[in-house]
Amino acid sequence: MATRTYDESQPIFYGWVILPLAFLMMLTTSPGQTFGVSYFNEAFIAEFGMSKTALSAAYLFATLLASVGLTFIGAMIDRWGLRIMTIVGFTAMGIACAFAAQATGIFTLFIAFTLLRFFGPGTMTLLANNSLAAWFDCRLGTASSAAQIAMAGASAAIPTAIVLLIESVGWRGTYLVFAAIIAGCFLPLMAIFFRQSPHEIGQVPDGMRFHASLRYKPFSYGNEFTIREAMQHRSYWLLLTTTGMWSMIGTALIFHLVALFQASGFRIQDSTRAITVMALVTAMTQLVGGVLADRLTMRWLLMSAMALMGLCCVILSEPTSLSTLLLGYGVFGCGQGMISVVSATVWARYFGRTHLGKIRGLSLTIAVAASAIGPVIMGVSADYLGGFGYSLWLFAGLSVITAIAALWATPPRTARVIEQEAAATRPIAA
């Protein structure tokens, strides 16, 4: 087997330029993220005279509608390439922000939510993850965790920036500022510096070259599946299930965070401490998880992440003190950090990069759709079953089942690979 070492003939590996560009893609999701939308809610209610229920319903159905088209976007990335779709994505996100600034009522706000969710957490997330997968292989986990840690840090400052902008130029002006930054700053940077793949400029993933004299175990398994071929493998469905479960539970715990603290007799201000703890633990876990994802088998990391999700729900189901709640959200941050790194790496490594857009697009469709279900389950539990406990125990049970099932999420093996392995063990004829 061969190993990879740095290719000294290249003065700089361009993947390190792609990494901050991928971070800008993640940053551009902010206007469509829940933490980016929530700070506009009071302005929407005051200006349009709508209830919180109507606003929540508009956001819920917009999220579901936005999830439907993500597989199509993934297919377009495969067909047209990352560079063209990156230009299209940033242009569309700028237009979506400009449209949101012109909303006049619940119907136009619903359309704005749909566009922001579709082109933000949907399209831009796909582009960021697929761009990193195109440029990194053995170091994909490290690169993904670096981008996500940078995004976690930026996310801590974004809400404050949004509040200051709304106070200064109003909510409509804030969306126009977003549009100007995306179209006037980020889009030109992408047009000038973005490159589709290492092969486009004569490089290889990770900026390395092969040396046959040394040993090397690649993380990519040589598969290049279409989505139909991927669906024939057990691991594909296990990964989809894990993605949906993670999104459903994680969104529910964040959406009802304040209510969970209040139900336990604590103040709203106390809940902000949970966000801080969760963010710090998530960032630290992503840093370690990125290194582990480049060294350990994916299924063990996936199992550990879902087990931590289950433990988090058990802790939060019977909170006895503020420390217990903070511990629960700290454990949640640990599981979230680990599974986010796995999610960023496993699809490319298991199923290849040729059809990665469509394959990952369907997984993102499942994740976005599931994110709309989790908060409803916890809400029903609180309204009709006397508290959040029943829903949290349900989530804990589902997490444990998913964690056990993740052990069977092994890399797909094609007939060609099996034949090669068999040939390697046959005795050589005299």
Side-chain angles (χ1 to χ4, degrees):
M1 308 206 17
T3 191
R4 286 177 173 178
T5 58
Y6 287 110
D7 187 351
E8 297 176 357
S9 64
Q10 297 288 348
I12 181 174
F13 174 50
Y14 204 77
W16 302 122
V17 177
I18 297 297
L19 180 59
L21 296 181
F23 163 65
L24 290 183
M25 294 177 188
M26 294 181 179
L27 191 63
T28 305
T29 70
S30 299
Q33 297 279 12
T34 301
F35 70 80
V37 173
S38 60
Y39 289 93
F40 292 87
N41 287 348
E42 294 303 320
F44 294 150
I45 291 172
E47 178 144 348
F48 301 136
M50 61 176 62
S51 66
K52 286 184 172 62
T53 300
L55 181 63
S56 300
Y59 189 68
L60 166 66
F61 287 111
T63 298
L64 292 174
L65 182 60
S67 70
V68 173
L70 294 180
T71 304
F72 172 76
I73 290 294
M76 291 300 97
I77 292 174
D78 294 335
R79 182 175 181 179
W80 293 348
L82 283 165
R83 181 174 174 79
I84 292 177
M85 288 302 296
T86 294
I87 301 301
V88 171
F90 275 89
T91 302
M93 193 58 185
I95 293 173
C97 290
F99 181 86
Q102 310 303 319
T104 57
I106 189 168
F107 179 71
T108 50
L109 190 61
F110 168 78
I111 296 176
F113 282 160
T114 303
L115 294 174
L116 290 171
R117 298 288 283 170
F118 181 69
F119 291 112
T123 302
M124 300 310 298
T125 298
L126 269 177
L127 289 169
N129 288 330
N130 284 19
S131 295
L132 291 176
W135 282 86
F136 295 92
D137 181 17
C138 296
R139 294 186 172 181
L140 180 56
T142 302
S144 298
S145 67
Q148 289 170 356
I149 290 171
M151 182 60 192
S155 299
I158 289 171
T160 301
I162 291 175
V163 171
L164 292 175
L165 279 172
I166 292 176
E167 291 177 351
S168 300
V169 298
W171 69 268
R172 295 183 188 275
T174 300
Y175 274 121
L176 290 176
V177 170
F178 288 161
I181 292 174
I182 293 170
C185 297
F186 294 174
L187 180 57
L189 286 174
M190 295 295 160
I192 296 170
F193 296 107
F194 188 81
R195 299 293 182 271
Q196 181 150 310
S197 72
H199 308 293
E200 183 180 332
I201 58 173
Q203 295 187 346
V204 294
D206 298 316
M208 299 178 179
R209 61 183 177 184
F210 287 104
H211 284 269
S213 61
L214 300 175
R215 296 182 61 82
Y216 162 67
K217 182 179 180 181
F219 262 100
S220 294
Y221 296 91
N223 299 322
E224 292 296 341
F225 292 140
T226 66
I227 191 169
R228 290 184 180 275
E229 291 170 339
M231 287 179 174
Q232 297 174 14
H233 295 272
R234 173 187 62 209
S235 57
Y236 179 79
W237 297 103
L238 290 174
L239 290 172
L240 278 184
T241 300
T242 304
T243 298
M245 202 66 64
W246 161 45
S247 181
M248 180 182 74
I249 297 173
T251 304
L253 292 177
I254 296 299
F255 191 87
H256 291 287
L257 184 148
V258 174
L260 193 58
F261 270 73
Q262 290 178 325
S264 302
F266 299 104
R267 303 171 302 163
I268 295 178
Q269 291 80 357
D270 294 324
S271 68
T272 61
R273 297 172 62 182
I275 293 291
T276 302
V277 169
M278 183 184 68
L280 289 173
V281 174
T282 297
M284 289 187 292
T285 306
Q286 285 173 334
L287 180 62
V288 176
V291 176
L292 294 178
D294 289 338
R295 287 164 172 78
L296 300 180
T297 305
M298 292 285 104
R299 60 190 178 121
W300 293 107
L301 295 178
L302 204 60
M303 182 202 72
S304 300
M306 291 310 301
L308 287 168
M309 282 286 186
L311 177 60
C312 155
C313 293
V314 170
I315 294 172
L316 294 177
S317 65
E318 297 292 338
T320 57
S321 65
L322 178 60
S323 298
T324 304
L325 285 167
L326 296 179
L327 174 63
Y329 275 95
V331 173
F332 167 70
C334 187
Q336 169 127 311
M338 187 175 296
I339 201 168
S340 63
V341 173
V342 173
S343 179
T345 57
V346 71
W347 299 103
R349 287 174 172 170
Y350 273 29
F351 305 107
R353 292 163 171 79
T354 304
H355 304 281
L356 183 59
K358 198 167 186 179
I359 290 172
R360 185 172 262 153
L362 181 56
S363 75
L364 197 56
T365 295
I366 298 297
V368 174
S371 70
I373 299 173
V376 175
I377 294 176
M378 283 192 71
V380 169
S381 177
D383 291 339
Y384 298 101
L385 300 178
F388 292 113
Y390 288 101
S391 61
L392 290 169
W393 279 108
L394 172 64
F395 289 160
L398 293 174
S399 296
V400 170
I401 294 172
T402 307
I404 295 172
L407 290 174
W408 280 268
T410 54
R413 293 176 29 170
T414 62
R416 177 179 59 82
V417 172
I418 295 173
E419 175 60 27
Q420 289 175 345
E421 292 175 351
T425 60
R426 295 190 192 115
I428 299 175

